[in-house]
Amino acid sequence: EAGVAQSPRYKIIEKRQSVAFWCNPISGHATLYWYQQILGQGPKLLIQFQNNGVVDDSQLPKDRFSAERLKGVDSTLKIQPAKLEDSAVYLCASSLRRDRNEKLFFGSGTQLSVL
Amino acid sequence: AQKITQTQPGMFVQEKEAVTLDCTYDTSDQSYGLFWYKQPSSGEMIFLIYQGSYDEQNATEGRYSLNFQKARKSANLVISASQLGDSAMYFCAMREAYNYGQNFVFGPGTRLSVLP
């Protein structure tokens, strides 16, 4: 079974530039999550999708971040314009359902450096 | 308010000894799940163990066990016979069955270092 795919693996940009990350969850997984993990901290949930609908985006800085999951499969997360404090690893995760016993499967993450 | 608290930023343990990593959580739901993940320096998130709120027995998976005390809202991870490869960040996480918002939240993590 293929895992959660993310690209790119690394990205370096200058502040005020834009960047996009891509995620393809495990086939059949209805829920998809984007997390931001700043160095030395736990993952912080940015946005959660159920199929192609947004369940929660309360922690997403909507003035600069956007995300979509067209057709309920793969997803993109965009930052425009980037700030220095956006430097972090962006993790995508998926699960079959949102039941309490469903664990998350994670991708390898995208490490973003904003200079 | 923090839903998951991990009070130990860093822990040291001697190889082959057991270690307990603390986790307390906050929820008003009766139905929830608790998870532990390991994140080595490579960055991947590795699932270790799961405990459901209605499970009466503590979960075990090989060298990992979860000391679940529901009344205290604690879910401590116990690693027996530590190995050098256990050096990593460890995250406690909770999934609430009826919280359609922040559905899967993580704690700040504990960095475990295993000494030879």
Side-chain angles (χ1 to χ4, degrees), chain A:
Chain A
E1 176 182 77
V4 177
Q6 282 189 254
S7 67
R9 188 73 177 89
Y10 303 94
K11 191 73 178 178
I12 300 173
I13 62 172
E14 295 189 349
K15 60 182 179 182
R16 291 188 288 273
Q17 285 187 325
S18 62
V19 64
F21 313 127
W22 174 82
C23 172
N24 192 12
I26 293 173
S27 177
H29 279 199
T31 66
L32 186 148
Y33 301 73
W34 282 102
Y35 287 88
Q36 179 193 58
Q37 187 177 23
I38 292 172
L39 187 64
Q41 299 183 16
K44 171 191 164 186
L45 181 63
L46 292 175
I47 189 166
Q48 178 188 163
F49 291 94
Q50 176 77 12
N51 297 310
N52 61 345
V54 175
V55 175
D56 183 274
D57 62 358
S58 59
Q59 301 293 302
L60 191 73
K62 298 180 190 65
D63 58 333
R64 298 185 300 107
F65 285 64
S66 65
E68 60 182 11
R69 190 185 183 195
L70 299 176
K71 301 180 182 178
V73 181
D74 56 350
S75 175
T76 55
L77 176 69
K78 296 179 182 177
I79 308 175
Q80 183 180 13
K83 292 185 175 181
L84 296 177
E85 58 260 36
D86 298 332
S87 293
V89 175
Y90 290 84
L91 294 165
C92 179
S94 70
S95 68
L96 191 59
R97 293 177 296 270
R98 288 170 62 246
D99 296 349
R100 65 181 176 96
N101 61 338
E102 290 284 344
K103 66 185 180 187
L104 293 189
F105 294 82
F106 283 85
S108 53
T110 295
Q111 187 170 324
L112 174 66
S113 297
V114 182
L115 307 177

